[in-house]
Amino acid sequence: NAGVTQTPKFQVLKTGQSMTLQCAQDMNHEYMSWYRQDPGMGLRLIHYSVGAGITDQGEVPNGYNVSRSTTEDFPLRLLSAAPSQTSVYFCASSQTGYETNTEAFFGQGTRLTVV
Amino acid sequence: AQSVAQPEDQVNVAEGNPLTVKCTYSVSGNPYLFWYVQYPNRGLQFLLKYITGDNLVKGSYGFEAEFNKSQTSFHLKKPSALVSDSALYFCAVRLSGNTPLVFGKGTRLSVIA
């Protein structure tokens, strides 16, 4: 039972480079989201999706793009990396609706450094 | 808009003593409330949740939390702390499974032997 899988675990980028952080889940969850974690800031929502073909912006979306072509995958793209995007990125998934099982399941994170 | 406040950046407690990690929330509507724990260099692990029903909810590793609607609080508690409970704890709120999960800034719990 893999749950939520993020790749890569670590990445160093140069300013201006682009890259894609991968996220895949095998729990058939409709809701998926990306967060960044910075010291003293908690987890801040970047983008989220309530199903394939539907995405929306969170609290800190600038500099990031997402797409949701399948239920399983929710990649996060950094278009032109900046040092301010140095952070730990977490992908999460959960069931949708007004149900009892709405807790989110998290990946292990991607530690990104932009130099 | 939803928000969560964790008023303490750090909580220190002696092993064997009871512990409390505080959380208050602000939301328009009935909240779904959650506690997560993060160990060093790991992702977040779900501890417990309040959706509806009994105000006292029990979760993993002996933790429990009490939902108090009048005080808009959802404090995390454990009767007897262990050194292994030392970690970063996050409180979170959402309105439904279709809405974003909003986190507090986290509280670092240190249990001293």
Side-chain angles (χ1 to χ4, degrees), chain B residues 89-110:
Chain B
Y89 289 82
F90 290 98
C91 182
V93 66
R94 70 193 313 183
L95 286 173
S96 73
N98 294 327
T99 60
L101 187 61
V102 176
F103 284 85
K105 288 184 169 28
T107 298
R108 188 165 300 280
L109 173 67
S110 180

Side-chain angles (χ1 to χ4, degrees), chain B residues 43-100:
Chain B
L44 274 72
Q45 297 179 28
F46 168 74
L47 273 181
L48 50 79
K49 65 185 176 187
Y50 171 83
I51 303 297
T52 187
D54 194 348
N55 289 344
L56 183 65
V57 293
K58 295 185 183 296
S60 306
Y61 312 121
F63 284 94
E64 58 188 30
E66 184 165 13
F67 171 63
N68 187 318
K69 188 171 184 177
S70 63
Q71 297 186 2
T72 61
S73 67
F74 190 56
H75 301 331
L76 181 70
K77 299 183 180 185
K78 188 174 182 181
S80 179
L82 300 172
V83 172
S84 57
D85 293 330
S86 298
L88 188 56
Y89 289 82
F90 290 98
C91 182
V93 66
R94 70 193 313 183
L95 286 173
S96 73
N98 294 327
T99 60

